[in-house]
Amino acid sequence: MKAFYAQILQLDPILWRAVFSLLVVGAALVFQKVFGKLVVRTLMRFARKTSNTYDDGLLAALEKPLRWFLVGVGLYLAVLIFYEPQPRWLGQALHTFIIIVVAHALFQVTPLFLHLGGHLRVQFDRIVAPFLTRVIRFFIVALAVMMVAQEWGFQVSSFLAGLGLGGLALALAAKDSLANLFAGFVIITERPFSIGDWIKTPSVEGTVEDITFRSTKVRTFAQALVTVPNSLLAGEPITNWARMGKRQVSFHLGLSYRTPRKKLEQCVKEIRALLHEHPETHNETILVNFDQFGASSLDIFVYYFTTTTVWSEYLQVKEEINLKIMEILERHGVEIAFPSQSVYFETPLQMKLPDPEESSSTPSPDVSSTSVDPSEAESTEERRTPLRG
């Protein structure tokens, strides 16, 4: 046994360093697994007992960056053990790894900061939060790339200066993209709609699903996804149906001209009372009046608003009220008019019907007893004779 240990001690130092390096890497991998299963789960168990959910999201977002950080530290120690004189690139690699891990962590927790704004009484719209998340993440990635490039000796300042010289050409080449980008900022600041709103424009009608730097995605009622450039959308009139406080119902109810005045008055009163008593209508604006003498009907103007703005519920309320209006008309025996015209003659038409006795006594003409003038018959024969050449 002693001879075996002596042979092991006589091994090459490089081999020993390699063995220790592999052991360090293995220990780092095992530790990050233990860290993920024990430490993070224990912290998550305590975080779930708190009243807010931000600590839960923070731990979930930082779990992967912390694991990668432990693996990176293990690799750094392994390389440090294996190379006896420390190589120059090792420090640069360590700094690069730290920059990437920190950028990844910030990239993951950016949405949490925006949601935390609501807890701090800074309200973010549902369409503002995703857009700001993309903007902040873009700057995080750009800053990380510039720091890594500077760490490896690239002149970032000269690169930015070159971008400044070519800025005019870049702006001309990306004119449409820049227009869509600025239009996106206009939509974000003015907030004419939000995610999930039902909007209508001359170009599209549907539900807003997402907004990016270039375009806005709208899901139509046919379940088609329409991508509208921000510059086009910002220059169009936008009707946001989702922000209605109530929905309007307006129509004319035409009654027959044979309707007596008292029944007409009673129908108007009962329809008005029906709308005031209905639980799904706004009592602020209800108009039911005998409006005009139409071309073929006595027109009652009906105008009210429903409390619900949901399309299906609105149709249900409208149907229920229409059926009750029909019930009122049926109870009073009032008919709904339909388009019709009456024609009057200034001089009455005189129609003489045939006398049955005269028609029975008049003999029917007999063809065989009819006399024909021979000259007429001959002329008729000549007219029927076809021309011969």
Side-chain angles (χ1 to χ4, degrees):
M1 184 65 66
K2 293 182 179 180
F4 176 74
Y5 285 131
Q7 291 179 358
I8 293 178
L9 293 175
Q10 291 178 1
L11 292 176
D12 191 358
I14 298 177
L15 184 60
W16 277 109
R17 290 198 295 270
V19 171
F20 278 118
S21 298
L22 292 176
L23 290 176
V24 169
V25 172
L29 293 175
V30 172
F31 185 72
Q32 66 92 15
K33 286 287 186 182
V34 174
F35 176 82
K37 290 185 177 181
L38 296 180
V39 179
V40 175
R41 288 185 180 180
T42 304
L43 294 176
M44 288 290 292
R45 193 178 301 113
F46 284 106
R48 291 191 185 97
K49 297 180 180 180
T50 59
S51 58
N52 59 72
T53 58
Y54 300 108
D55 49 1
D56 302 357
L58 185 62
L59 287 175
L62 294 179
E63 180 182 358
K64 287 186 178 180
L66 288 176
R67 285 189 177 189
W68 281 108
F69 178 76
L70 294 176
V71 174
V73 171
L75 291 174
Y76 173 76
L77 294 176
V79 174
L80 193 62
I81 292 173
F82 184 75
Y83 288 97
E84 186 172 346
Q86 183 178 354
R88 186 183 61 180
W89 55 266
L90 185 60
Q92 296 175 335
L94 178 63
H95 294 163
T96 301
F97 181 77
I98 293 175
I99 291 171
I100 293 174
V101 170
V102 172
H104 185 204
L106 294 176
F107 191 90
Q108 292 292 109
V109 301
T110 298
L112 296 177
F113 289 137
L114 297 179
H115 290 296
L116 186 62
H119 185 70
L120 299 176
R121 296 182 180 180
V122 179
Q123 297 295 330
F124 290 103
D125 191 75
R126 292 179 62 189
I127 201 171
V128 176
F131 191 83
L132 286 181
T133 300
R134 292 186 178 92
V135 172
I136 295 174
R137 284 180 169 179
F138 173 78
F139 281 109
I140 289 174
V141 173
L143 183 62
V145 170
M146 287 190 296
M147 292 178 66
V148 170
Q150 191 170 2
E151 183 67 30
W152 290 93
F154 294 96
Q155 298 296 327
V156 179
S157 58
S158 60
F159 175 73
L160 294 177
L163 287 180
L165 294 176
L168 179 60
L170 181 63
L172 292 175
K175 180 179 63 175
D176 294 337
S177 299
L178 292 176
N180 291 324
L181 177 62
F182 287 117
F185 279 109
V186 171
I187 294 174
I188 292 300
T189 54
E190 292 187 356
R191 292 189 295 179
F193 52 81
S194 181
I195 301 295
D197 285 356
W198 169 22
I199 65 170
K200 180 181 179 181
T201 69
S203 301
V204 67
E205 179 179 6
T207 305
V208 179
E209 286 197 352
D210 192 16
I211 180 171
T212 62
F213 294 108
R214 178 189 174 275
S215 60
T216 299
K217 294 180 175 60
V218 179
R219 179 77 62 177
T220 65
F221 297 115
Q223 295 303 310
L225 186 62
V226 180
T227 303
V228 186
N230 290 333
S231 59
L232 177 63
L233 194 62
E236 292 182 337
I238 301 173
T239 302
N240 193 334
W241 296 111
R243 295 185 182 178
M244 292 186 300
K246 50 189 178 181
R247 290 187 72 94
Q248 172 187 326
V249 180
S250 175
F251 62 92
H252 278 88
L253 179 63
L255 304 183
S256 173
Y257 265 101
R258 292 191 295 268
T259 305
R261 179 180 59 84
K262 291 184 178 181
K263 288 188 177 182
L264 178 62
E265 292 178 353
Q266 190 63 27
C267 290
V268 170
K269 291 180 181 179
E270 293 190 15
I271 293 173
R272 187 183 297 120
L274 166 66
L275 295 178
H276 278 287
E277 295 172 1
H278 199 282
E280 297 294 334
T281 58
H282 272 277
N283 288 327
E284 299 176 358
T285 308
I286 293 179
L287 302 175
V288 181
N289 299 93
F290 174 42
D291 186 31
Q292 61 185 354
F293 295 92
S296 58
S297 61
L298 302 173
D299 294 337
I300 299 176
F301 179 63
V302 181
Y303 184 86
Y304 64 95
F305 289 89
T306 62
T307 55
T308 180
T309 59
V310 181
W311 179 249
S312 58
E313 297 176 0
Y314 161 79
L315 293 177
Q316 188 69 29
V317 173
K318 189 176 177 182
E319 177 186 359
E320 182 180 348
I321 292 176
N322 289 341
L323 292 175
K324 290 186 176 181
I325 291 176
M326 289 185 64
E327 181 182 350
I328 293 173
L329 299 180
E330 291 174 357
R331 187 168 62 249
H332 291 281
V334 176
E335 297 180 355
I336 297 177
F338 55 89
S340 60
Q341 289 183 345
S342 299
V343 180
Y344 298 92
F345 293 93
E346 185 176 356
T347 302
L349 295 178
Q350 296 181 359
M351 299 181 63
K352 184 178 180 181
L353 297 177
D355 190 358
E357 296 180 356
E358 294 181 358
S359 60
S360 60
S361 62
T362 304
S364 58
D366 189 1
V367 179
S368 59
S369 62
T370 303
S371 59
V372 181
D373 189 359
S375 61
E376 293 182 358
E378 184 179 359
S379 61
T380 305
E381 185 69 22
E382 292 178 355
R383 284 198 298 270
R384 291 180 179 177
T385 303
L387 295 177
R388 293 182 175 85

